[in-house]
Amino acid sequence: MSEAQLKNTGAERSRSLEEIFEQRIVNDEKIEPKDWMPEKYRKTHIRQISQHAHSEIVGMLPEGNWITRAPSLRRKVALLAKVQDEAGHGLYLYSACETLGVSRDELYDQLHSGKAKYSSIFNYPTITWADMGAIGWLVDGAAIINQVPLCNTSYGPYARAMIRVCKEESFHQRQGFEIMMSLCNGTEVQKQMAQDALNRWWWPSLMMLGPTDDVSVHTAQSMKWKLKRKTNDELRQQFIDQTVPQADILGLTVPDPDLKWNEETGHYDFGEIDWEEFWQVVKGHGPCNKERMNDRVGAWERGTWVRDAAMAHAEKQQIKKENQAKAV
Amino acid sequence: MKTNLYNYILELADNCLIAGQRLGELCGHGPSLETDIACTNISLDLFGQTRSYFQYAADIKGGDATEDSIAFLRYEREYKNVLLVEQPNRDFAYTVARQYLFDVFHLLLLEKLQFSQDMTLSAIAKKSIKEVSYHVRFSGDWIKRLGDGTEESHEKMQAAIDGLWQYTNELFEVTEEAKALAEEGMGIDVSTIKDAYYQNVTLLFEEATLNVPESKYFQKGGKSGIHTEHMGYLLADMQYMQRAYPNMNW
Amino acid sequence: MEKNWPLWEIFVRSKNGLEHRHFGSLHAADAEMALENARDVYTRRSEGVSIWVVESKNITASNPENNGEMFEPAQDKIYRHPTFYTLPDEIKHM
């Protein structure tokens, strides 16, 4: 065979592999780590899963802010357990990502160097206790809408991680809503605190569900691979439709003068989102981007000698064990 | 009101509260995700114990007292925790050393307290023993890793122990109420666990290639409410909400 | 020096009577730490009564490319299954 012919059969072979692969996904079969997969599938998954993992661990920071200041012991343990879960979720997701042949340290490097993205919402400050309520209620609410469909995604390790995440996350949103209820049933000062938090977190929560469909670059491919089951705009509408009645129950006003129930569509109409702000924050110019990264990088760097010591100790113990075995 | 018992419960509980608070500060800032999760677990155990003690104390005190009024609404001079547990997280070696030096004491104490004639204290102790046994194991393992790890970690671990050693002796100081309750079979005379404590610690330090500090100068005061300068800041954080927004439900 | 903690695979027995099941993975410097981390990460909600940890590099996995020769030959050996044998309906307890 000529070289050209050889190349040709090579290309044909990979095309048919790819066809088989796509067919497996259509058939709802799971893809497992050592299975053949198109390079683009691998890369896309590394990007999405690691972004998700980064969001979990950066997300620990705004809430971690309030652990020492929680107003009651009950709230303190709930918040602590919640932030701890986020560390756990980050860990499950990094592990899922590692099955694609990238190490956690490489992923950290990408985060710390600013190469990797994480959810823009965590670049907003948590300035009152009510923000703990608003984050649980709105941010976790939006996250759940995003995450539940991922329990059926095509990549096995990601789907399994998401099942665990969703199971554990069910208390997070309830925790947040309960905080909001206590505030709304409380004094005037507390109600104002709750309203203020809703005012500040509402729009960022809507942005969190991603750019509108007409500018979202990854949607079509992601839908095919079941990395996404609904478009950003559909998710956003679902979030608004389910959250507005909850705000009514709390007696809070959603900060959108254009928000209105539309009998015809069976959905809420809502006002224009300030996408300029969204892109600013994504590009690193949100109120807390720098603080969040300083915290992450600082913790990692301050931990270097600790991690090194643990490795050195493990190696010493291993040598000791081997010497003992030799001596016998 | 059973004043001795109430004060004795605070003496037990405040150590858990303040140690838990210090560990809670670290959540999200530790050397690895895995250690973050582990330290948070210990913190949660300690807060759980704190709540059991304070709920009991609130019953004894009666009136409007709740676990939260006891936890958040006392003046600094009314907190009875030992100075050791309020020391800050200077670095991970300090955190681990503080925790270990407290954990060994805590376990020895609970092993006796489980036989208290006071059924509630006995029940809390029995439940806590399992948790604290794990705390000792965790912090002890880390003392060994850092002590016998790299040169740098050895230095840092030794510095932390040297820095915190002066607060160990206070653990064994017997307060008036503890003495009175010990006579009734309800409280523990902590001076009786001192030898076992220093033996345990010395053994582990040897294994970790660390020196037991020779200094015989010790600090005390925590049990009678005279704290180090760090305590005010810790309380300012912890009490912030309750002080800024008094008499509200959260 | 920065040498990274190796990856460990975690297997948890949810309750006695059940087998250990793969729960996920994590990083740890040594086996002892892997056990402790596994306890804190994977059994926070009382999910387990026993934990195994295995360093990931010690696991040998079959290659999916060989799935044909590895697993397909078993598919036509239907005589290994009880339904292969036809018996009259009157026969009980078999």
Side-chain angles (χ1 to χ4, degrees):
Chain A
M1 257 189 273
S2 72
E3 207 173 304
Q5 275 174 313
L6 266 177
K7 249 188 207 158
N8 206 15
T9 42
E12 254 167 43
R13 188 169 162 267
S14 85
R15 191 164 56 231
S16 73
L17 274 174
E18 198 157 337
E19 275 163 19
I20 297 169
F21 176 86
E22 297 293 350
Q23 192 53 46
R24 287 180 66 191
I25 291 183
V26 172
N27 295 348
D28 254 336
E29 276 181 56
K30 295 286 182 228
I31 309 301
E32 293 297 342
K34 294 188 113 191
D35 292 351
W36 184 89
M37 60 184 78
E39 191 52 21
K40 192 160 176 238
Y41 181 89
R42 201 180 73 89
K43 286 214 168 111
T44 306
H45 275 75
I46 290 177
R47 196 190 59 234
Q48 174 161 336
I49 301 171
S50 66
Q51 268 184 21
H52 195 161
H54 297 328
S55 301
E56 294 282 354
I57 61 161
V58 177
M60 294 169 72
L61 299 169
E63 288 175 286
N65 234 343
W66 281 87
I67 290 170
T68 59
R69 290 179 291 173
S72 72
L73 290 174
R74 182 170 178 272
R75 293 287 180 218
K76 194 190 281 286
V77 293
L79 182 63
L80 198 47
K82 185 190 173 211
V83 180
Q84 183 195 38
D85 271 354
E86 282 155 11
H89 298 169
L91 194 150
Y92 306 154
L93 290 161
Y94 282 126
S95 299
C97 207
E98 282 179 276
T99 63
L100 290 162
V102 56
S103 73
R104 196 196 291 177
D105 300 83
E106 290 172 66
L107 297 172
Y108 274 169
D109 276 347
Q110 293 173 3
L111 174 68
H112 295 163
S113 66
K115 220 179 113 198
K117 298 272 179 272
Y118 55 89
S119 185
S120 58
I121 193 117
F122 300 119
N123 292 314
Y124 288 86
T126 50
I127 53 179
T128 72
W129 170 252
D131 292 1
M132 298 303 100
I135 288 183
W137 172 37
L138 302 172
V139 178
D140 289 308
I144 289 168
I145 284 184
N146 236 333
Q147 290 171 354
V148 168
L150 289 174
C151 296
N152 288 316
T153 190
S154 67
Y155 187 56
Y158 191 26
R160 290 192 287 277
M162 287 316 299
I163 288 171
R164 194 179 289 277
V165 168
C166 288
K167 211 193 264 176
E168 296 186 350
E169 204 136 279
S170 54
F171 100 79
H172 294 184
Q173 197 190 8
R174 295 171 73 104
Q175 181 255 174
F177 194 76
E178 204 195 75
I179 290 174
M180 294 305 273
M181 282 205 311
S182 298
L183 295 173
C184 294
N185 294 329
T187 61
E188 199 45 47
V189 177
Q190 286 174 303
K191 275 179 219 160
Q192 278 169 16
M193 200 190 278
Q195 181 65 54
D196 169 62
L198 174 58
N199 293 349
R200 284 180 290 109
W201 290 93
W202 175 255
W203 291 105
S205 300
L206 298 190
M207 295 176 199
M208 186 188 157
L209 292 157
T212 50
D213 295 348
D214 51 327
V215 295
S216 177
V217 278
H218 304 300
T219 295
Q221 181 73 79
S222 296
M223 295 282 240
K224 204 162 102 194
W225 288 338
K226 300 176 181 171
L227 268 173
K228 234 180 196 317
R229 313 304 292 255
K230 289 181 180 174
T231 70
N232 294 349
D233 286 335
E234 286 169 337
L235 292 171
R236 195 166 7 251
Q237 188 67 57
Q238 184 187 339
F239 174 73
I240 293 169
D241 289 348
Q242 74 181 44
T243 308
V244 173
Q246 294 167 354
D248 291 342
I249 290 171
L250 290 171
L252 296 176
T253 311
V254 174
D256 178 358
D258 297 323
L259 188 80
K260 216 175 124 211
W261 177 252
N262 184 326
E263 279 294 344
E264 239 165 79
T265 60
H267 295 293
Y268 282 93
D269 293 336
F270 55 97
E272 191 66 34
I273 293 172
D274 182 359
W275 291 109
E276 177 56 31
E277 176 182 321
F278 174 76
W279 291 113
Q280 283 271 343
V281 178
V282 168
K283 284 175 189 147
H285 307 297
C288 298
N289 294 58
K290 289 196 178 64
E291 281 87 345
R292 301 296 183 242
M293 263 323 95
N294 283 344
D295 278 356
R296 281 313 322 158
V297 173
W300 186 245
E301 286 177 351
R302 279 193 305 277
T304 306
W305 70 269
V306 177
R307 296 189 303 275
D308 285 351
M311 273 318 284
H313 180 76
E315 278 160 18
K316 280 186 192 172
Q317 294 300 106
Q318 189 61 32
I319 292 167
K320 224 183 257 176
K321 224 190 257 171
E322 280 161 15
N323 287 343
Q324 274 167 355
K326 269 184 218 153
V328 171
Chain B
M1 180 177 109
K2 301 170 187 162
T3 310
N4 273 345
L5 182 57
Y6 177 79
N7 283 327
Y8 185 58
I9 297 170
L10 297 190
E11 187 182 318
L12 296 168
D14 284 346
N15 283 338
C16 301
L17 173 69
I18 304 302
Q21 177 79 0
R22 278 291 186 225
L23 276 182
E25 287 172 12
L26 272 184
C27 186
H29 305 275
S32 79
L33 264 185
E34 283 84 352
T35 40
D36 258 12
I37 295 172
C39 290
T40 312
N41 258 358
I42 296 176
S43 178
L44 283 168
D45 285 343
L46 291 168
F47 283 128
Q49 295 167 18
T50 305
R51 295 184 69 189
S52 304
Y53 285 126
F54 282 167
Q55 283 160 11
Y56 184 33
D59 282 349
I60 292 170
K61 194 170 188 201
D64 301 337
T66 63
E67 57 172 22
D68 288 328
S69 70
I70 298 174
F72 296 100
L73 293 176
R74 281 179 288 154
Y75 296 118
E76 178 172 334
R77 289 284 271 106
E78 296 169 318
Y79 284 84
K80 297 175 184 298
N81 58 282
V82 291
L83 302 178
L84 174 68
V85 295
E86 73 200 42
Q87 298 310 304
N89 300 306
R90 286 197 174 85
D91 62 20
F92 195 65
Y94 263 87
T95 303
V96 165
R98 182 188 67 221
Q99 200 56 40
Y100 177 72
L101 291 171
F102 173 62
D103 291 340
V104 175
F105 162 81
H106 197 189
L107 183 60
L108 289 167
L109 172 72
L110 293 170
E111 279 170 347
K112 295 224 165 196
L113 191 64
Q114 66 176 323
F115 302 112
S116 166
Q117 297 298 313
D118 184 293
M119 286 306 117
T120 310
L121 288 183
S122 160
I124 296 173
K126 277 183 189 147
K127 181 176 172 291
S128 308
I129 282 175
K130 292 176 195 154
E131 297 170 343
V132 176
S133 302
Y134 186 78
H135 303 175
V136 178
R137 171 175 162 179
F138 179 85
S139 59
D141 280 351
W142 271 104
I143 297 259
K144 286 189 267 181
R145 286 191 193 104
L146 299 181
D148 191 17
T150 61
E151 214 171 295
E152 184 186 8
S153 74
H154 178 84
E155 271 171 31
K156 288 196 154 115
M157 197 66 243
Q158 188 67 57
I161 286 165
D162 292 347
L164 293 172
W165 193 252
Q166 58 180 324
Y167 301 112
T168 54
N169 198 52
E170 190 197 359
L171 292 163
F172 309 101
E173 190 194 25
V174 184
T175 59
E176 285 304 315
E177 44 273 6
K179 198 171 164 201
L181 285 170
E183 279 162 13
E184 292 175 58
M186 289 159 78
I188 306 305
D189 175 352
V190 279
S191 66
T192 60
I193 56 176
K194 185 170 173 175
D195 289 347
Y197 175 86
Y198 283 111
Q199 274 165 19
N200 279 342
V201 170
T202 305
L203 269 178
L204 186 101
F205 283 5
E206 270 170 24
E207 201 186 327
T209 71
L210 294 161
N211 295 322
V212 177
E214 279 168 17
S215 166
K216 295 276 179 275
Y217 295 99
F218 294 100
Q219 304 299 320
K220 60 174 186 178
K223 287 186 181 179
S224 49
I226 300 172
H227 292 277
T228 56
E229 288 180 349
H230 307 294
M231 186 68 171
Y233 294 99
L234 183 148
L235 291 180
D237 249 9
M238 193 175 82
Q239 298 186 337
Y240 164 63
M241 289 297 292
Q242 291 276 349
R243 295 295 187 197
Y245 305 92
N247 303 317
M248 298 184 200
N249 292 317
W250 301 96
Chain C
M1 84 186 166
E2 186 83 51
K3 206 168 164 190
N4 301 326
W5 291 358
L7 193 66
W8 298 73
E9 299 301 322
I10 311 303
F11 300 83
V12 177
R13 185 200 294 290
S14 315
K15 59 178 188 185
N16 277 5
L18 296 179
E19 67 277 63
H20 285 76
R21 198 165 62 79
H22 185 235
F23 260 47
S25 50
L26 49 74
H27 289 268
D30 53 51
E32 190 56 33
M33 195 200 286
L35 266 183
E36 290 175 4
N37 289 348
R39 176 255 195 199
D40 289 321
V41 171
Y42 288 106
T43 65
R44 297 200 298 287
R45 289 176 169 85
S46 325
E47 293 96 332
V49 294
S50 163
I51 301 175
W52 291 346
V53 298
V54 185
E55 203 178 329
S56 308
K57 69 172 189 204
N58 293 328
I59 290 181
T60 310
S62 66
N63 187 338
E65 277 180 25
N66 304 332
N67 274 9
E69 63 199 65
M70 289 283 279
F71 307 114
E72 277 171 31
Q75 284 172 6
D76 66 350
K77 311 294 190 293
I78 48 175
Y79 42 80
R80 290 201 173 99
H81 301 279
T83 46
F84 177 71
Y85 303 93
T86 37
L87 294 181
D89 290 345
E90 306 91 82
I91 305 289
K92 303 286 181 212
H93 309 297
M94 195 173 282

